[in-house]
Amino acid sequence: MTALPARPATKREQREASIERLLGAALTRFVSQGFSHTTVEQIAEDGGLTKGSVYFYFKGKDALLMALLDRVEQVVVDDMIDRVSAAGPGAADKVVAFVHGQARLGVDRWEHVLLLILMSLEFAGRGGPVEDRTKAIYARMYRTLEDVLELGKREGVFRGDLRTREQAAIVMAGHDGTFLEWYRRGDDFDGGELVRALRTATLGGLVDTHEDTAGTAAPETERRK
């Protein structure tokens, strides 16, 4: 017989367990049906708690989302920055570390990545704290990528005929788009091949081939295949 999980022994443990249940329920609901279409009652029911518990611990749905975005920043952005900083020595190595690390999140913490993407879309143009929060999280990711791209240009590895800001935007578009495709059509893809395609497409668009400033020539590593 499978042993039942131990019940929280102290009030503090009970409180932490209740908070985690509500956060987990809210995360799943926000990703699957959006913030606007999720009710406090649904979150409470999914978490096995009362509606009053949501207001006791979080004061409402908005506070739940903000708490989740704090966690998203930690698991998606903080870890990514550490990973990219540790990779190297070259800029291309750091881009590969970014792609592979985010792909790992697609397996382990995919709901957190999707929450950031989907909430940035749902709250775009609304103003207010949620839009400000998602923009701030993305801004940290953009800055990290832009620093790596500038490094690659100084190394003479990445093409310099495009502005860094726009290059970083395209890398992030590929990142977000790949996650959305994986979410929509996961059964159609082999995860390893999808990551390989993203890595190849990303580096292929960044590497300076010294042959075609319009970006039509394939990188040297691809031409050898």
Side-chain angles (χ1 to χ4, degrees):
M1 179 181 293
T2 303
L4 295 175
R7 297 186 62 182
T10 67
K11 287 186 177 180
R12 178 179 179 179
E13 289 174 339
Q14 292 172 1
R15 179 179 185 278
E16 291 175 351
S18 296
I19 288 173
E20 287 302 315
R21 285 157 63 186
L22 291 174
L23 286 171
L27 176 61
T28 299
R29 284 283 182 175
F30 293 158
V31 168
S32 64
Q33 64 187 37
F35 179 85
S36 299
H37 291 93
T38 297
T39 66
V40 170
E41 290 83 358
Q42 289 174 328
I43 295 170
E45 182 178 357
D46 292 350
L49 296 166
T50 65
K51 180 179 176 180
S53 298
V54 177
Y55 290 103
F56 178 77
Y57 291 118
F58 290 101
K59 309 303 181 186
K61 197 170 65 165
D62 294 73
L64 260 169
L65 177 55
M66 294 297 281
L68 283 170
L69 290 174
D70 288 343
R71 186 165 295 183
V72 164
E73 183 167 23
Q74 178 183 351
V75 303
V76 176
V77 184
D78 291 349
D79 290 351
M80 180 272 289
I81 291 174
D82 291 343
R83 187 169 56 250
V84 169
S85 297
D93 300 302
K94 294 181 182 294
V95 170
V96 170
F98 168 77
V99 171
H100 281 266
Q102 297 305 98
R104 186 72 256 167
L105 287 175
V107 175
D108 298 334
R109 308 298 287 268
W110 61 272
E111 283 187 311
H112 290 84
V113 182
L114 277 171
L115 181 74
L116 176 60
I117 297 170
L118 295 174
M119 293 304 100
S120 72
L121 295 173
E122 183 171 346
F123 284 86
R126 291 190 185 185
V130 174
E131 183 180 18
D132 291 343
R133 191 77 181 90
T134 58
K135 284 184 174 180
I137 293 171
Y138 267 108
R140 293 187 64 204
M141 299 178 76
Y142 291 136
R143 284 195 298 271
T144 299
L145 283 172
E146 288 168 7
D147 288 346
V148 171
L149 296 177
E150 287 293 334
L151 172 63
K153 290 179 179 182
R154 292 194 299 271
E155 293 172 341
V157 175
F158 292 163
R159 57 189 301 161
D161 60 321
L162 298 173
R163 293 202 314 180
T164 300
R165 183 176 183 181
E166 282 69 25
Q167 286 176 306
I170 293 301
V171 172
M172 282 303 305
H175 167 272
D176 285 7
T178 300
F179 266 100
L180 291 173
E181 280 295 291
W182 203 340
Y183 180 55
R184 284 193 296 253
R185 302 171 55 208
D187 292 341
D188 296 339
F189 294 117
D190 175 275
E193 285 300 308
L194 188 62
V195 172
R196 180 174 178 269
L198 176 60
R199 181 187 68 228
T200 302
T202 300
L203 287 174
L206 294 174
V207 170
D208 187 353
T209 65
H210 302 292
E211 294 179 11
D212 187 357
T213 57
T216 56
E220 183 66 25
T221 53
E222 292 297 315
R223 292 200 300 273
R224 289 174 184 161
K225 295 181 180 179

